[in-house]
């Protein structure tokens, strides 16, 4: 009941991170029925094409073994002779066995790779004490997955048995007709009957494999689904808590504002819009023609702000003796288009030059006074 309730709450598709974590733990949509069907088909095909060679090799090996009993039966078999017999047997049977085993292995590997790709999952085989919990083991035995597997196994047995029974019943007249035949024709006829029954059973297994492949895909996607809470938790863990990020941004803004305010006393002039904007400019005069080319050759913004920040900039400027110059248009333009630390654009050179000229006149008057 709890499992069904939890599954009912999982309505969201799995994220790429969720899929990768499940894959690392060995949770993939692998149909063992499809593997079985593919291996049986490959084995049957290999036996059809290579069975004759395997039978001939086995017959030749038996024939030579029986022929050598007379000579070897009364003498002791040394280690060297035993190794020779083993090597001869491998030479006789090795090619035929490889002709059947290699295609079978290749087909199984291709079918497995086609379903889940290549993935090394050490977490799936790692030691986990919780796997020894009898309560969890019992819950797995009575789960929906185990019930489906049991029903699938019973259905598979019933379908294969029924198919083979029907085919064998259809071949009953041929089997009866073989009763008076010689050994060779009888074996050939029985082999034909067995092959037909095996082919029918293989078709039934392939049908089951197709349905199992679809079910495993659906079951895998169903188990990977996430609740809305899981999506939010994953977003927090991957991107960070929004509240924490907002707090960090606030701290960063406060530190930047403090650094900006610390540079206001170094400004040459503060251009203001009386109540809303304030932009502190600094101009470093140099009469050295050999000065560093990277040095600032134009006034640049050391601080700017609006409303309360603008008022604070003007207060610090007055305390430090920095001239505050009121120019509504220039203050708005500089605040909108020039960032802190940037030099003013060329279109503002003339307006700022007049402001600096005014500041220098005030400084000269103060010096004369």
């Amino acid at each position: 009941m709890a499992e069904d309730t939890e599954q009912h709450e999982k309505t969201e598709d799995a994220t790429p991170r969720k899929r990768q974590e499940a894959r690392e733990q060995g949770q993939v949509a692998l149909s063992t029925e499809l593997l079985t069907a593919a291996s049986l088909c490959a084995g049957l095909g290999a036996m059809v094409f290579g069975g004759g060679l395997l039978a001939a090799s086995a017959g030749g090996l038996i024939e030579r073994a029986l022929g050598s009993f007379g000579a070897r039966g009364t003498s002791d078999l040394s280690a060297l002779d035993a190794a020779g017999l083993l090597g001869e047997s491998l030479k006789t049977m090795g090619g035929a066995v490889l002709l059947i085993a290699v295609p079978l292995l290749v087909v199984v590997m291709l079918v497995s790779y086609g379903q889940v790709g290549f993935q090394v999952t050490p977490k799936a085989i790692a030691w986990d004490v919780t796997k020894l919990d009898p309560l969890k083991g019992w819950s797995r035995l009575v789960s929906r997955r185990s019930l489906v597997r049991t029903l699938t196994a019973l259905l598979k047995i019933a379908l294969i048995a029924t198919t083979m029974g029907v085919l064998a019943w259809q071949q009953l007249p041929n089997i009866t007709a073989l009763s008076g035949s010689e050994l060779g024709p009888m074996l050939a006829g029985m082999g034909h009957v067995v092959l037909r029954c095996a082919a029918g059973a293989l078709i039934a297994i392939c049908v089951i494999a197709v349905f199992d492949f679809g079910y495993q895909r659906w079951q895998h996607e169903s188990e990977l689904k996430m609740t809305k809470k899981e999506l939010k938790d994953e977003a927090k863990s991957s991107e960070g808590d929004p509240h924490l990020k907002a707090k960090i941004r606030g701290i960063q803004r406060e530190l930047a504002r403090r650094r900006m305010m610390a540079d206001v006393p170094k400004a040459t002039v503060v251009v203001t819009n009386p109540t809303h904007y304030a932009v502190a400019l600094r101009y470093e005069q140099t009469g050295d023609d050999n000065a560093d080319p990277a040095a600032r050759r134009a006034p640049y913004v050391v601080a700017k702000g609006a409303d309360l920040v603008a008022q604070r900039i003007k207060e610090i400027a007055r305390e430090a003796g920095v001239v505050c110059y009121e120019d509504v248009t220039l203050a708005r333009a500089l605040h909108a288009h020039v960032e802190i630390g940037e030099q003013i654009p060329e279109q503002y050179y003339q307006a700022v030059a007049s402001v600096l000229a005014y500041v220098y006149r005030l400084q000269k008057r103060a010096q004369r006074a």
Side-chain angles (χ1 to χ4, degrees), residues 67-141:
S68 63
F69 276 169
R72 297 183 182 274
T74 58
S75 61
D76 295 333
L77 186 64
S78 63
L80 185 59
D81 294 336
L85 289 175
L86 181 59
E88 184 181 353
S89 301
L90 290 177
K91 289 180 181 179
T92 304
M93 298 292 298
V97 172
L98 289 177
L99 186 62
I100 295 176
V102 171
L104 181 62
L105 179 61
V106 171
V107 168
V108 172
M109 293 179 64
L110 289 177
V111 172
S112 300
Y113 181 82
Q115 291 189 77
V116 300
F118 179 77
Q119 177 72 26
V120 180
T121 55
K123 293 183 180 180
I125 59 175
W127 170 258
D128 188 2
V129 180
T130 59
K131 293 180 180 180
L132 301 178
D133 189 352
L135 295 179
K136 290 186 177 180
W138 177 254
S139 64
R140 286 193 294 267
L141 288 176

Side-chain angles (χ1 to χ4, degrees), residues 315-335:
E315 291 177 6
I316 296 175
R318 293 190 188 101
E319 294 174 358
V322 178
V323 177
C324 292
Y325 183 88
E326 182 178 328
D327 190 326
V328 176
T329 304
L330 182 59
R332 287 177 176 271
L334 292 176
H335 185 275

Side-chain angles (χ1 to χ4, degrees), residues 51 115 118 125 178 185 197 216 236 243 278 292 339:
Q115 291 189 77
F118 179 77
I125 59 175
L178 294 174
C197 293
Q216 292 298 332
K236 287 182 179 180
H243 300 288
D292 183 4
E339 298 298 327

Side-chain angles (χ1 to χ4, degrees), residues 210-225:
V210 171
F211 282 99
D212 183 71
F213 176 76
Y215 173 77
Q216 292 298 332
R217 291 283 176 178
W218 174 83
Q219 179 72 14
H220 181 66
E221 291 296 326
S222 177
E223 290 179 350
L224 287 182
K225 283 186 177 295

Side-chain angles (χ1 to χ4, degrees), residues 334-354:
L334 292 176
H335 185 275
H337 299 109
V338 187
E339 298 298 327
I340 297 174
E342 292 183 356
Q343 297 184 114
I344 63 172
E346 292 184 4
Q347 63 263 33
Y348 301 123
Y349 278 4
Q350 184 175 359
V352 174
S354 63

